[in-house]
């Protein structure tokens, strides 16, 4: 327990109640940077909020009296559900104001909704709207992080650029809505086969990028061919119930230390160029295949 009379810490929030509600309120206030938390009160020193407070250097108190001596004036936030706390605050001539009961629940609900809205916005900022897979911006940022890691530790790092075969024909024959369904089938099929460390995103249109940390070229090619074999072997019902075997072509590449000589950005550009070049060769060679080697 820490007890302080440092008046420079006043005018913050004193959380009364160290249980799960107090912990949630503490995490919320710290996460949102709404108001500084000057203390947490609970007779149980090992209550959840008390432990979190000590971890972050926030003062803890066993009694309300000791807390007010150190922190007043402060805004007392009563999350105990005990109305007698308000009476005790009035009896002690607490001057900083108190929030409890219905007011506390209203504020909690409001901030919780704000947090949910922010999480939704963050999700939309890095996800493709149609498939829920990561978007191009996220993939680009993730590759740059991977390149920095590769440059420092020289761990294998590979990627596969995938393009649905004959996608224009699908759209022209069955319509764009069916095309969207085919895209979602591909994403679902890939997600079911990827490892936890693999990162799948929609690169654009009917193209998809899979980033594979800690994976050499041989492993990456083997994985991409397995995805192709599994997805193309299972017919998908499209149009008016017609069975259609979706196939794709892909180019696979791994980072190379030689690309790092001109910096990380050059390495990223070269990596994408290799993927694109090999995907083009796969298409030109007859589609439904994975390419991984240079012509030279």
């Amino acid at each position: 327990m820490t007890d302080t009379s440092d008046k420079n810490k006043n005018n913050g929030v004193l959380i009364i109640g160290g249980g799960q509600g107090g912990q949630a309120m503490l995490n919320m206030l710290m996460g949102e940077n709404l108001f500084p938390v000057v203390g947490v009160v609970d007779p149980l020193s090992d209550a959840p909020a008390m432990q979190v407070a000590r971890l972050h250097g926030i003062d803890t108190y066993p009694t309300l009296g000791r807390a007010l001596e150190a922190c007043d004036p402060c805004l007392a936030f009563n999350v105990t559900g005990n109305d007698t706390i308000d009476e005790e605050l009035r009896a002690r001539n607490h001057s900083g104001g108190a929030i409890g009961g219905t007011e506390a629940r209203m504020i909690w609900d409001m901030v919780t909704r704000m947090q949910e809205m922010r999480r939704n916005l963050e999700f939309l900022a890095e996800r493709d709207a149609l498939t829920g897979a990561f978007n191009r911006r996220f993939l680009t940022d993730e590759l740059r992080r991977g390149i920095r890691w590769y440059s420092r530790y020289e761990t294998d790092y590979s990627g596969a650029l995938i393009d649905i075969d004959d996608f224009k024909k699908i759209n022209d024959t069955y319509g764009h809505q069916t095309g969207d369904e085919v895209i979602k089938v591909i994403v679902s099929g890939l997600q079911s086969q990827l490892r936890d460390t693999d990162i799948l995103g929609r690169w654009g249109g009917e193209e998809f990028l899979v980033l594979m940390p800690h994976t050499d070229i041989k492993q990456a090619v083997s994985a991409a061919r397995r995805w192709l074999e599994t997805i193309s072997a299972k017919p998908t019902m499209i149009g008016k119930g017609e069975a259609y075997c979706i196939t794709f072509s892909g180019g696979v590449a791994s980072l190379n230390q030689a690309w790092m000589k001109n910096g990380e950005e050059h390495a990223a550009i070269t990596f994408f160029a290799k993927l694109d070049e090999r995907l083009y060769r796969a298409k030109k060679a007859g589609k439904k295949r994975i390419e991984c080697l240079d012509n030279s």
Side-chain angles (χ1 to χ4, degrees):
M1 181 195 73
T2 305
D3 196 352
T4 179
S5 58
D6 183 359
K7 296 302 179 182
N8 292 326
K9 292 188 176 183
N10 292 345
N11 301 315
V13 175
L14 175 67
I15 297 175
I16 304 172
Q20 296 296 331
Q23 181 183 12
M25 181 60 65
L26 177 58
N27 288 335
M28 179 190 72
L29 290 172
M30 290 191 301
E32 296 296 326
N33 292 319
L34 295 173
F35 302 99
V37 178
V38 295
V40 179
V41 182
D42 199 282
L44 300 177
S45 63
D46 61 348
M50 300 284 272
Q51 296 183 50
V52 173
R54 286 193 294 271
L55 183 65
H56 290 276
I58 297 172
D59 295 335
T60 60
Y61 306 92
T63 66
L64 180 59
R66 294 185 66 173
L68 292 178
E69 287 176 8
C71 301
D72 203 30
C74 62
L75 175 63
F77 210 118
N78 176 18
V79 296
T80 65
N82 185 352
D83 294 337
T84 61
I85 296 292
D86 296 335
E87 298 175 5
E88 184 175 353
L89 287 169
R90 286 192 292 271
R92 293 180 178 275
N93 295 318
H94 171 61
S95 59
I99 298 175
T102 302
E103 289 180 325
R105 287 192 292 271
M106 287 177 62
I107 292 175
W108 173 256
D109 288 343
M110 180 184 68
V111 176
T112 299
R113 290 174 185 172
M114 288 172 55
Q115 290 176 323
E116 182 64 25
M117 289 175 62
R118 187 179 64 191
R119 284 192 293 268
N120 289 338
L121 290 172
E122 290 172 349
F123 180 88
L124 292 173
E126 63 183 29
R127 298 282 178 163
D128 171 59
L130 177 64
T131 64
F134 290 113
N135 60 25
R136 186 174 184 132
R137 184 177 71 175
F138 179 90
L139 291 170
T140 303
D141 291 342
E142 189 62 34
L143 175 62
R144 289 193 176 103
R145 283 190 287 268
I147 288 174
R148 287 193 291 271
W149 184 267
Y150 171 80
S151 178
R152 180 175 298 179
Y153 300 106
E154 297 189 25
T155 57
D156 292 316
Y157 196 100
S158 300
L161 185 61
I162 290 168
D163 185 273
I164 301 173
D165 292 331
D166 302 313
F167 187 72
K168 183 178 184 303
K169 182 180 177 181
I170 294 172
N171 273 338
D172 291 345
T173 303
Y174 303 101
H176 290 279
Q177 184 174 349
T178 297
D180 287 348
E181 291 303 316
V182 168
I183 286 174
K184 289 190 280 190
V185 167
I186 283 284
V187 169
S188 176
L190 289 171
Q191 287 174 333
S192 68
Q193 299 181 73
L194 298 182
R195 305 166 302 179
D196 290 341
T197 53
D198 295 332
I199 302 161
L200 167 66
R202 189 177 180 189
W203 190 241
E206 67 272 23
E207 281 190 344
F208 306 90
L209 177 64
V210 181
L211 298 175
M212 294 175 274
H214 309 292
T215 307
D216 61 28
I217 189 68
K218 184 177 179 180
Q219 293 168 327
V221 170
S222 177
R225 288 176 175 162
R226 185 177 65 252
W227 307 336
L228 174 57
E229 180 181 355
T230 301
I231 291 174
S232 62
K234 184 179 180 181
T236 299
M237 306 306 291
I238 65 175
K240 297 181 179 179
E242 180 179 341
Y244 186 91
C245 291
I246 303 170
T247 67
F248 60 80
S249 303
V252 176
S254 293
L255 288 177
N256 188 317
Q257 279 293 335
W259 304 347
M260 305 299 299
K261 293 179 181 179
N262 295 317
E264 295 175 0
E265 190 64 26
H266 173 78
I269 292 171
T270 305
F271 183 69
F272 284 128
K274 292 293 184 183
L275 289 173
D276 198 54
E277 171 195 339
R278 294 167 187 181
L279 171 59
Y280 174 78
R281 288 212 315 273
K283 291 287 190 182
K284 192 175 180 181
K287 306 175 186 177
K288 195 183 176 182
R289 58 186 293 123
I290 304 298
E291 287 284 346
C292 63
L293 299 175
D294 291 321
N295 287 325
S296 57

